[in-house]
Amino acid sequence: MSQVSFHELSSVSAEAYQDLLRRSEADLSGFMEKAKPIIEAVKTEGDAALVRFGQDLDGATSLTAATLKASEAEFDAAFEAVDSEVIEAIRHGIANIRSFHEEQKPAPMWFKEIKPGAFAGDRYTPIRSVALYVPRGKGAFPSVTMMTSVPAVVAEVPELAIFTPPTPDGGVDAATLVAARIAGVETVYKCGGAQAVAAAAFGTETVRPAHKIVGPGSPWVVAAKQLLSSVIDPGLPAGPSEAIIFADDTVHGGLAALDLLIEAEHGPDSSAYLVTHSRRVAEEALAALPNHWAKMTDLRVGFSRTVLCGDNGGIILTSGVEESYRFINDYAPEHLELLSTEPFEHLGHITEAAEILMGTHTPVCIGNFALGPNAVLPTSSGARTFGPLSVHDFVKCSSVGYVTRPAYAEMAKHSRVLARYEGFSSHENAVSELRDPYLEG
């Protein structure tokens, strides 16, 4: 049996330290080369390429051009197929997600008098069309539908469409359709991977093109987003799942092990570390993992073993809490749990994490499904410059300015000086005496 990777950080070399920070998708060159012909096929062949890839790559042999878009009947049937308990959980999650994101929504406009007679502000309008990517390769994820759809609907994006791989029978995961309708999205296209990103970018006979695509995906999706970034806004970098579980000496290591498995079970390309400065916690976590694995499905055990026994996961024992903070900030994780009876003591030391869940009652899965903050998060150290998906990802800002006659003279004078210094004669002329005859009054 493979052993869980165990690292004592104080004895790790500088090179090995950098290896610990590396994610599974660090090198996308292979995926990008293979994605190029897929993208070109969708661009030139449209629906025919989407059908072919759906049949060949997703095994949806019955998929046709006529069924690429989910029908109203499929939506209706989904509500009959999904257990009422699941529908109730979806409704609960969407209600909380909507409540959270409504607080994020900016006012349509703000305007301030910068100086007497000179006004400036910001005006927010929704992006006209956005594609919402919902993966399906390693399971069904209605929660991603919830997290991408709700803020987009709150932002009032007029054209929304979900892109998700077809099921083998040429359909769509029923709970995904349920979540889409409850959230307020009625357009679902049955395509995934690089071909979905290409369809969203270029459009096809069936698929309407979008200005932006958001949502997590496989390395194929991430590669396609990079390749098409000049055609469609790829949104925040959201690839395979990753998490750090930080545990101090106030908690049991078995609890840390339980939560360590949450993101590790997503797939073999996930990343998951327990970071602790307590050897007791580390040893308790190691001892607890076999018992936790015994209560999981074989598929998820396989995924999580690959992660925790490989190069992108395991247990990191630090020499002290400051070293723990340093590693966490260097790693800049997608998900971070602060497992402690006093989590606020640690919060101020963390500056690089997309999501910070605090205390023993806030595991990552509650953040993923029920709490309200968005669980579509930047990966691969994207937390250094990106935050969670939000209403702000679905709106754009226009600055607005208005200068009246009383404020014009002073601003024109200073603008002329800077225009002259920078060598822009037309800039200078536009605020010179040449303008005066044209001004009203």
Side-chain angles (χ1 to χ4, degrees):
M1 182 184 296
S2 298
Q3 296 296 310
V4 173
S5 300
F6 190 95
H7 309 274
E8 293 204 34
L9 206 58
S10 60
S11 61
V12 165
S13 68
E15 182 180 0
Y17 187 90
Q18 292 303 313
D19 287 341
L20 291 174
L21 302 179
R22 189 172 295 115
R23 274 50 160 202
S24 62
E25 64 169 24
D27 182 7
L28 289 170
S29 57
F31 291 99
M32 295 180 81
E33 284 304 311
K34 292 175 183 178
K36 287 178 182 177
I38 295 175
I39 291 170
E40 185 60 28
V42 173
K43 182 179 180 181
T44 57
E45 301 175 43
D47 283 356
L50 294 181
V51 171
R52 185 171 70 253
F53 292 131
Q55 293 174 345
D56 295 346
L57 302 180
D58 297 305
T61 55
S62 61
L63 187 68
T64 66
T67 60
L68 276 172
K69 182 179 178 182
S71 67
E72 186 175 347
E74 287 179 279
F75 273 94
D76 293 341
F79 279 82
E80 298 298 323
V82 177
D83 187 87
S84 60
E85 189 177 41
V86 176
I87 295 176
E88 182 183 1
I90 290 172
R91 290 189 187 279
H92 173 270
I94 284 177
N96 291 345
I97 296 163
R98 181 174 287 115
S99 177
F100 178 87
H101 287 84
E102 283 173 346
E103 292 299 315
Q104 288 182 336
K105 188 176 181 180
M109 183 170 168
W110 65 267
F111 218 40
K112 177 181 179 180
E113 190 169 24
I114 303 298
K115 282 207 164 185
F119 303 85
D122 285 329
R123 177 172 174 259
Y124 292 92
T125 55
I127 296 171
R128 194 168 69 208
S129 58
V130 181
L132 313 173
Y133 189 80
V134 178
R136 200 193 60 79
K138 302 181 186 76
F141 304 107
S143 60
V144 177
T145 301
M146 295 153 59
M147 292 293 178
T148 54
S149 298
V150 171
V153 171
V154 169
E156 301 181 60
V157 176
E159 295 181 22
L160 286 171
I162 291 168
F163 290 70
T164 191
T167 55
D169 63 358
V172 177
D173 167 62
T176 293
L177 291 177
V178 168
R181 175 166 282 181
I182 294 173
V185 179
E186 293 277 346
T187 300
V188 176
Y189 296 122
K190 304 169 188 176
C191 55
Q195 60 269 30
V197 181
F202 299 116
T204 70
E205 298 91 332
T206 297
V207 177
R208 289 177 61 86
H211 292 160
K212 185 172 186 175
I213 184 168
V214 302
S218 68
W220 291 96
V221 172
V222 178
K225 285 181 178 181
Q226 290 189 19
L227 289 167
L228 291 168
S229 60
S230 64
V231 182
I232 185 170
D233 183 339
L236 62 87
S241 300
E242 57 184 58
I244 285 181
I245 309 301
F246 164 81
D248 66 15
D249 57 7
T250 67
V251 299
H252 195 284
L255 177 61
L258 191 67
D259 289 0
L260 180 64
L261 290 165
I262 295 171
E263 293 303 299
E265 74 170 347
H266 266 270
D269 54 0
S270 296
S271 303
Y273 287 108
L274 165 61
V275 175
T276 182
H277 51 284
S278 168
R279 187 174 293 274
R280 172 189 61 77
V281 168
E283 291 174 349
E284 287 174 349
L286 278 173
L289 279 170
N291 293 327
H292 295 332
W293 271 321
K295 297 175 178 65
M296 293 166 56
T297 63
D298 290 343
L299 176 68
R300 302 300 169 178
V301 169
F303 288 161
S304 58
R305 280 192 185 279
T306 299
V307 172
L308 298 181
C309 301
D311 296 330
N312 298 109
I315 296 175
I316 295 176
L317 179 63
T318 67
S319 60
V321 69
E322 293 297 331
E323 190 173 52
S324 295
Y325 298 150
R326 179 171 69 88
F327 180 81
I328 292 167
N329 287 326
D330 286 347
Y331 194 87
E334 176 191 20
H335 303 277
L336 171 65
E337 278 190 33
L338 298 181
L339 277 183
S340 171
T341 58
E342 299 293 338
F344 284 92
E345 289 186 1
H346 304 295
L347 179 61
H349 299 274
I350 305 302
T351 59
E352 316 295 325
E355 175 183 69
I356 305 172
L357 300 171
M358 300 190 296
T360 56
H361 294 85
T362 322
V364 170
C365 50
I366 282 183
N368 284 346
F369 298 137
L371 185 58
N374 210 288
V376 175
L377 304 161
T379 59
S380 295
S381 298
R384 294 170 183 166
T385 56
F386 287 90
L389 190 70
S390 73
V391 170
H392 299 285
D393 290 288
F394 297 97
V395 298
K396 57 191 185 297
C397 177
S398 302
S399 57
V400 180
Y402 176 52
V403 177
T404 64
R405 178 179 289 276
Y408 171 74
E410 182 185 19
M411 291 199 169
K413 179 185 72 173
H414 293 302
S415 296
R416 282 196 305 273
V417 170
L418 290 174
R420 190 179 308 122
Y421 180 83
E422 293 187 0
F424 290 115
S425 55
S426 183
H427 285 57
E428 182 180 359
N429 289 342
V431 285
S432 72
E433 69 278 359
L434 295 177
R435 189 179 198 86
D436 295 344
Y438 300 106
L439 295 177
E440 68 276 12

